[in-house]
Amino acid sequence: MDATVAKAGRSDELSRPSATSDALEVAHANQVEEKQSDGRPNRKRIDGLLDGFLLLEASHSEFPDQAHKVRLSDKGICKVLEEDLSYFPRLCFADLSENKIGLHELVNLQALEELRLQCNSLETIPSWRVPAPFPQLVILDLSYNALTSEAFAQLAAIPRLRELDLTCNNLGEIPPNMADFQQLEILLLSNNSLKNEECLLSLSRAPRLRELDASENHFCRIPEDAVFPRLEWFSLVKNRIAKQEDVEALLYSPELQQVLLYENP
């Protein structure tokens, strides 16, 4: 074989788009507005839309199946072309904070391990369309939204969820299904207007919980039945605990090493 021909063949093979790239091109055929001078399609960016091409650009990758991380904080995103997300089978990290994106709109990102969605004006999480959403997700940041206790309960369906940040939401109470958070180890609940003893009883049912931030709430005491089997670190800073007797029940949590109580009455 001629060396020049062989070299050209290898070059063509290296430059050939992946199957996922081809599929993404087909999926966006209806967005072609005009043609460039060389005949290639020229697509017009739709403001506020998270689609495959925006993800590809943000990941600094040539093809969708090469993308691993994206950072698209504060980009004015308010719509998601959900079908495009399935073309990114290796995208494991996404920072989409300070937009207006619903968590349920991202379920086609099946490889996500860490997702940041703080400050997205989230109030609810609809029922999942699939039985085990985000099968690889370990770390989820939903802080500074407006989520309710009902929305919190929906997160138990995420099978590998280990770290959850719900700081500064509108929980008001804790859902009764905390036992369903089988892998949850770190939970941040600061500033959620929590006050009922039943909230602490519910939290004690999370079987693997190691770190719990319940600061800046309205707890007055720890109920006797609230025994945390794995808890090691507990922040009750800026609550309404007035005396030592109010937290003595924590002595029965076998793994507890540190409790923060400053700025209480």
Side-chain angles (χ1 to χ4, degrees), residues 15-231:
S15 62
R16 189 178 299 123
S18 67
T20 53
S21 181
D22 288 341
L24 188 58
E25 292 283 346
V26 172
H28 281 258
N30 61 350
Q31 292 187 20
V32 176
E33 299 281 337
E34 57 188 25
K35 298 248 182 215
Q36 299 179 22
S37 58
D38 60 2
R40 292 181 300 166
N42 181 24
R43 294 179 180 81
K44 184 178 180 180
R45 173 69 54 78
I46 301 176
D47 290 340
L49 178 67
L50 177 64
D51 63 3
F53 292 107
L54 182 58
L55 283 176
L56 200 60
E57 179 183 334
S59 71
H60 307 290
S61 302
E62 187 174 2
F63 304 123
D65 53 4
Q66 296 173 344
H68 291 90
K69 297 182 179 182
V70 294
R71 297 182 185 273
L72 287 166
S73 177
D74 195 17
K75 298 297 183 183
I77 300 170
C78 57
K79 295 174 288 185
V80 179
L81 196 60
E82 296 183 40
E83 56 266 34
D84 275 15
L85 308 189
S86 59
Y87 298 116
F88 293 80
R90 296 182 177 87
L91 189 66
C92 59
F93 173 90
D95 182 356
L96 299 169
S97 55
E98 298 184 73
N99 291 291
K100 290 187 178 180
I101 302 172
L103 179 62
H104 64 287
E105 297 178 284
L106 303 173
V107 292
N108 286 339
L109 292 174
Q110 294 281 294
L112 274 182
E113 298 175 9
E114 180 173 353
L115 173 60
R116 300 178 184 176
L117 269 184
Q118 61 266 43
C119 300
N120 266 263
S121 302
L122 297 175
E123 297 181 4
T124 62
I125 298 176
S127 298
W128 302 107
R129 299 189 300 268
V130 293
F134 301 106
Q136 305 301 322
L137 191 64
V138 174
I139 302 172
L140 177 59
D141 187 347
L142 296 175
S143 59
Y144 298 94
N145 284 290
L147 294 170
T148 63
S149 176
E150 290 77 12
F152 185 1
Q154 293 285 353
L155 301 176
I158 303 175
R160 299 185 63 188
L161 187 61
R162 189 181 68 213
E163 299 183 22
L164 175 60
D165 191 346
L166 290 172
T167 299
C168 289
N169 276 273
N170 289 335
L171 299 184
E173 57 186 29
I174 299 298
N177 66 331
M178 290 304 299
D180 295 335
F181 287 82
Q182 291 290 311
Q183 305 301 320
L184 188 63
E185 296 183 9
I186 300 173
L187 178 59
L188 309 180
L189 296 174
S190 179
N191 202 348
N192 269 287
S193 300
L194 302 172
K195 60 182 179 180
N196 296 331
E197 292 185 9
E198 184 60 38
C199 290
L200 293 167
L201 287 171
S202 295
L203 289 167
S204 70
R205 298 183 187 116
R208 294 178 178 267
L209 194 61
R210 294 189 300 105
E211 298 183 15
L212 174 58
D213 183 356
S215 61
E216 298 188 71
N217 285 292
H218 309 299
F219 293 120
C220 296
R221 65 183 293 271
I222 307 298
E224 293 182 2
D225 294 337
V227 177
F228 297 83
R230 298 282 186 90
L231 196 65

